[in-house]
Amino acid sequence: MAAFDFGTDYTLENEVALLRPLVSNDHTRLLPFALNEPELWTYSMVSAAGHDGLENYLAYAIAERKSCRQYPFVVFDKRVGQYAGCTRFYDIRLAEQTLQLGYTWYGTQFQRTGLNRHCKYLLLQFAFERMEMQRVEFRADNDNQRSIAAMKAIGCHEEGVLRSNGKRPDGSRRDSIVLSILRSEWFDTVEASLKNKIYLYGNR
């Protein structure tokens, strides 16, 4: 079984990014995004927009960790000394050694800065090398081409599309694209490729 304890507070970090467990006190730190950038959750099935929306978002994420189903992180950009967004492991199946990586969002000023590459490297490294996962799955709204391109850029393989499998915050139906990275792919090519992109592109 994967070496992972939901009750342990894991911190993932490098010279650029720090990811630590999400807590209720993060409401104050993340509130400016919820109030001023509601468009961040246009393609999400769970929105954190608004004061109450963020409160519900945090409460759900923390409860899911206590129920041993999800492990949410808050993201801190060490270059500017500011909180930047959130991400999480979910649908964690330790016996099957699989999980999904998602619920990822960053404030507008942190997008296209290289932060996402650093975060994905840390998360995938932890999933495959510490948690001993065999598969990490990603999903996105099939209309969210920017997010899909970012996932493919880090090495995800497209598997297919789940038609009308969820709702957006506005109530409309969405198709979800499914992508994944396997353990063998991480060690054979993805880890080195992603590390090289971080080195080459820096903060772009």
Side-chain angles (χ1 to χ4, degrees), residues 38-46 140-147 167-169 174-176:
E39 67 279 2
L40 294 175
W41 298 279
T42 298
Y43 293 107
S44 301
M45 288 195 287
V46 179
D141 188 314
N142 201 41
D143 290 340
N144 190 352
Q145 293 304 309
R146 182 172 174 179
S147 178
K167 288 184 178 181
R168 301 184 181 98
R174 80 171 219 178
D175 297 338
S176 295

